[in-house]
Amino acid sequence: YALARANILPRQLGVVLPNGTPIWALLFGAVAGALSILTDSYMALASMTVSTMQAVVVLTVLAAIYLRLKEPELHRPFRIPGYPWSALVALTFAAVLMAVFVMQDPWYSLGGFVLITATW
């Protein structure tokens, strides 16, 4: 839906019903999901997603730590309870999980990172 609204995918996928439901985008997603299950590519997509999503968590925690170090007096709408220790614990767990996911399935993990990098 968002990609259709940004004129990247066909405009039809950005059509919304009067009740606010993006019906064509939902149908497209359902068909794409069903096809990935029927063609046995679902596990490959899931394997790629796990390591890349964990990398997003690692980068998000690193960004929060970096911003707090670079601009400590900046007004923030929220606080990290127990900072900096809670952020360091979260970073450690996220990094270890990402390493485990990559070691379990290095080819799909690499494929996910390459796919994300290519689309970026």
Side-chain angles (χ1 to χ4, degrees):
Y1 170 76
L3 291 174
R5 298 291 301 254
N7 294 321
I8 295 172
L9 289 179
R11 296 185 132 216
Q12 186 67 22
L13 296 175
V15 171
V16 214
L17 293 179
N19 68 356
T21 304
I23 189 68
W24 294 111
L26 286 174
L27 288 173
F28 178 76
V31 169
L35 286 175
S36 72
I37 290 171
L38 292 174
T39 60
D40 287 334
S41 61
Y42 178 77
M43 289 305 291
L45 291 172
S47 295
M48 286 182 188
T49 303
V50 168
S51 54
T52 54
M53 291 306 295
Q54 198 60 40
V56 168
V57 172
V58 169
L59 292 173
T60 302
V61 175
L62 282 173
I65 292 171
Y66 175 78
L67 183 61
R68 279 165 170 43
L69 288 174
K70 186 177 178 199
E71 300 185 32
E73 300 304 318
L74 185 66
H75 172 71
R76 294 177 173 82
F78 66 92
R79 299 277 182 209
I80 298 177
Y83 181 82
W85 300 110
S86 59
L88 293 174
V89 168
L91 179 62
T92 302
F93 279 122
V96 167
L97 273 175
M98 187 179 74
V100 167
F101 294 149
V102 169
M103 285 188 300
Q104 274 187 328
D105 208 342
W107 290 112
Y108 282 129
S109 295
L110 178 63
F113 292 135
V114 166
L115 183 63
I116 293 296
T117 304
T119 56
W120 181 49

